[in-house]
Amino acid sequence: MKAIVQDRYGSPDVLSFTDVPTPRPSKDDDVLIRVRAASVNARDWHVMRGDPYVARLMAPDVGGLTAPKQRVRGTDFAGVVESVGASVTHVRPGDAVFGEAPGAFAEYVVAPRNAVAGKPASMTFEQAAALPLAGNTALLSLVEIAGVEAGQTVLINGASGGVGTYAVQLAAAHGATVTAVCSTRNVELVESLGAHDVVDYRKTDFRTRDRQYDVVFDLVGNRSLRDLKRSLTPTGTLLLSGGGVSTGGTPFGPMKLIVAAKLQSRFVKQRIEVPEAKPSTRALTELGALVEEGRLTSVIDRTYALAAAADAIRYLETDHARAKVVLTA
């Protein structure tokens, strides 16, 4: 099969579109999927570059010292089930599915059963592939951790990005008043997704506004912890999931802010959380239900052929992308 392969850390130039053996299910709970679409996340360029460097040590199951442990890039996918293991009962060969698994930038991927769910019927494969990691991060952060509800105020810094576009919709769907921070060209987009107030960061710094919010969801990592806490109510919740942008390699990157947050969280009344979304059929099913109810949708900026994955990641990591970038296999 064809796949996007990497054998050393570096820029998108280290990626190659080449033939590799088709993966085979090896466990009773494995699902083999013919990939129809896969989406690009900030995680992909972080792993591709081994950036920040400290992550290579902190996540040894993902990255080695000189190259990622998994040769084939990608995580999010949507496609059609080819075969299932003996213990898999919720999907069958021929079913349209979506989910998360290492090696999704390929014609076929093997995923564990608890990371696969039926594709929402109203979604294209491209829209469904955009949903798993970003949608699950937004769902975990705002609904499960922060418990956003009607009457609350929510600030989303990075509202037009992959996670941000889902976060705006989820916060609004739960009745919160949403303030979205984005650039000029994305104002209309976030308003259409449910934002009640928009801060164009090219004209106004949200830190200078005399407002505090019940929840601040930072998806950029470009503000100090002190500044973010100042935007919170005294008992508010700060959610940190900013991946930063590529600057050619950094020792700590957004990890510096995250470590500081975890240390300070023990000594302040405000709640500081660093969500770590893990793939699950339960979360995927919940996201799918929200889609079918018309409360959630995927916004796709650009679509590339699988062979052009390097161009897709290059576009994403320069921070010009909005919402999701998707590959078609």
Side-chain angles (χ1 to χ4, degrees):
M1 70 169 185
K2 292 292 187 181
I4 299 299
V5 173
Q6 170 183 7
D7 292 307
R8 60 187 174 87
Y9 290 125
S11 72
D13 295 333
V14 304
L15 301 178
S16 61
F17 181 60
T18 188
D19 290 300
V20 298
T22 301
R24 300 297 178 192
S26 60
K27 300 176 182 177
D28 285 347
D29 66 348
D30 279 347
V31 182
L32 176 65
I33 297 110
R34 171 67 169 93
V35 178
R36 294 284 299 276
S39 72
V40 183
N41 295 292
R43 181 182 188 277
D44 296 310
W45 72 255
H46 278 293
V47 174
M48 177 189 73
R49 290 183 177 273
D51 180 16
Y53 302 141
V54 69
R56 304 182 192 183
L57 302 175
M58 296 180 68
D61 57 325
V62 176
L65 291 178
T66 60
K69 294 291 180 66
Q70 170 77 32
R71 291 185 72 216
V72 181
R73 294 276 57 75
T75 302
D76 288 355
F77 64 82
V80 178
V81 176
E82 288 280 317
S83 64
V84 299
S87 65
V88 180
T89 59
H90 70 297
V91 295
R92 298 199 236 170
D95 286 353
V97 297
F98 72 126
E100 292 182 56
F105 292 175
E107 293 179 321
Y108 293 88
V109 66
V110 170
R113 65 178 178 181
N114 62 357
V116 178
K119 180 182 75 67
S122 61
M123 282 190 139
T124 65
F125 284 105
E126 291 79 10
Q127 290 172 324
L131 186 54
L133 179 58
N136 192 15
T137 299
L139 181 71
L140 170 68
S141 302
L142 293 174
V143 180
E144 299 182 22
I145 294 178
V148 170
E149 59 187 9
Q152 290 189 318
T153 54
V154 177
L155 173 78
I156 301 171
N157 185 31
S160 61
V163 178
T165 49
Y166 293 121
V168 170
Q169 295 175 77
L170 286 172
H174 282 77
T177 298
V178 181
T179 295
V181 182
C182 64
S183 64
T184 308
R185 75 182 185 112
N186 296 321
V187 170
E188 290 186 5
L189 169 63
V190 297
E191 287 178 336
S192 72
L193 295 175
H196 304 86
D197 177 35
V198 181
V199 179
D200 179 351
Y201 68 76
R202 296 188 183 278
K203 300 177 180 179
T204 306
D205 189 333
F206 74 84
R207 298 173 301 175
T208 64
R209 302 175 104 199
D210 188 23
R211 295 188 188 178
Q212 291 184 316
Y213 303 86
D214 296 304
V215 178
V216 172
F217 195 7
D218 179 44
L219 296 164
V220 185
N222 64 346
R223 294 290 185 261
S224 70
L225 188 59
R226 182 181 181 184
D227 286 336
L228 293 170
K229 286 164 57 182
R230 282 179 175 175
S231 296
L232 273 181
T233 60
T235 57
T237 299
L238 172 61
L239 302 161
L240 297 174
S241 188
V245 295
S246 177
T247 56
T250 58
F252 299 102
M255 296 298 296
K256 184 177 181 181
L257 178 64
I258 289 171
V259 170
K262 288 185 175 181
L263 291 174
Q264 288 193 33
S265 65
R266 304 176 185 179
F267 307 104
V268 295
K269 290 183 179 181
Q270 293 164 319
R271 187 179 179 193
I272 304 175
E273 299 283 350
V274 182
E276 295 181 23
K278 296 181 180 179
S280 75
T281 297
R282 178 198 60 77
L284 292 169
T285 302
E286 187 171 348
L287 290 167
L290 289 166
V291 169
E292 299 294 28
E293 292 168 7
R295 302 169 75 189
L296 193 66
T297 190
S298 294
V299 179
I300 298 175
D301 181 0
R302 292 189 183 182
T303 301
Y304 293 78
L306 176 62
D311 292 332
I313 294 178
R314 189 175 290 110
Y315 174 65
L316 179 71
E317 70 173 352
T318 56
D319 200 32
H320 295 307
R322 66 177 185 173
K324 295 294 297 183
V325 175
V326 176
L327 308 175
T328 54

